[in-house]
Amino acid sequence: MVTLNLGAAVIHSLAEIEYCTVGVPFLYNDLTTEDMRRNLDWLDAEMVDIDNEKLGFSFRAYLVKIAGQNVLVDACNGNHKNRPTALWQHQLDRTDFMDALKAAGVTPSDIDVVVCTHLHCDHVGWLTRLSDSEWVPTFPNARHVFSGKEFQFFQQKMETEGSAAANHGSFEDSVLPVTRSCRFDLVESDAVLIDEPAGSVRLMPSPGHSIDHVSVAISSQGQEAIVCGDAVHHPIQLDMPLMPMRADYDPKLAAQSRLSLLNHCADTGAWLLAGHFCKYPFALIERHQDVFRIKNRLSIGDKHGLD
Ligand SMILES: [Zn+2]
């Protein structure tokens, strides 16, 4: 677990899978070997594996302790989900996510707010856990916050095309159970979730990867960190910010959102918290010619120079 102190807030990265590799086409149809080679001067072979045509990847959520509240942003893949069409998360049985939560000094009952950047299956998994063959909320006391537009889109998809069509079944087994027994709010994509003297948590629209994808901006004492969900998947998109991801709902809109987010981070010094960036749970972005690079280029073993 790596921790960022942000003014009066503390942000823990919660890795469910800190490092794995995925085949290049899993993420990008347009990424060439030459593109990969060009980036080897700043991304090592664990992140860009040309010989095996693979990219380094993570599945990570973030726990934000701010103004006396525990806010969980995103919820990874989860355990025991039946996913014949999403094999990377089929019947996972890992303790990493819960171990990381415990290491952060928090139990599931202590989570006050859960917010998802979007409702794809690798961002909602831990919202539920299996108990006596039933999916029950993992965070029973939390207010669950989703984009209303995103929720309604997948609700309709499930009703018209069946459960498996709505994010591999995750809308039914991971999202709907919390709406039955927990407080949940369907909000606009610029909603303010917390606004206290110690800091704020607000949504930033970053649509395109999904219909109403949001980023989550945490601010405290003049510092800012942005959990970007799938607005950016892999650091190589800093070199190619307009390159679409295979599963983007609206690739052009996703590219606009990504560019605007990276410009914002480079211009303001805001931290970029990208759940799928292996090695860089907390990244500072700088300009490089007309694209971008990660400024704090240290391995995770070095703790990124953070407390
Ligand atoms: Zn994702």
Side-chain angles (χ1 to χ4, degrees), residues 116-129:
C116 294
T117 57
H118 61 306
L119 297 181
H120 284 174
C121 61
D122 60 318
H123 294 258
V124 300
W126 279 103
L127 298 188
T128 58
R129 62 183 176 83

Side-chain angles (χ1 to χ4, degrees), residues 57 59 118 120 122-123 209 229-230 233 276:
F57 208 60
F59 293 94
H118 61 306
H120 284 174
D122 60 318
H123 294 258
H209 177 65
D230 284 0
H233 279 84
H276 291 309

Side-chain angles (χ1 to χ4, degrees), residues 211-282:
I211 192 166
D212 202 32
H213 184 288
V214 296
S215 297
V216 180
I218 301 115
S219 300
S220 181
Q221 298 178 350
Q223 299 180 54
E224 186 178 43
I226 300 174
V227 184
C228 70
D230 284 0
V232 190
H233 279 84
H234 188 279
I236 205 159
Q237 275 176 305
L238 273 59
D239 188 69
M240 306 171 70
L242 300 181
M243 176 172 64
M245 187 271 179
R246 169 189 56 86
D248 284 342
Y249 171 76
D250 182 335
K252 282 191 179 158
L253 188 57
Q256 280 175 23
S257 292
R258 183 162 46 253
L259 195 56
S260 138
L261 182 68
L262 294 173
N263 275 322
H264 176 84
C265 289
D267 288 345
T268 67
W271 290 88
L272 182 70
L273 279 47
H276 291 309
F277 277 20
C278 65
K279 297 192 174 190
Y280 298 102
F282 301 102

Side-chain angles (χ1 to χ4, degrees), residues 152-201:
Q152 281 146 15
F153 176 84
F154 289 116
Q155 185 174 43
Q156 188 173 24
K157 200 169 180 66
M158 191 184 93
E159 285 167 4
T160 56
E161 299 175 41
S163 174
N167 297 328
H168 305 280
S170 62
F171 189 80
E172 182 172 34
D173 66 31
S174 303
V175 179
L176 285 185
V178 303
T179 68
R180 292 189 197 108
S181 53
C182 294
R183 181 178 167 201
F184 80 103
D185 291 323
L186 300 181
V187 300
E188 299 287 326
S189 58
D190 60 354
V192 176
L193 308 188
I194 292 174
D195 190 9
E196 300 282 343
S200 67
V201 177

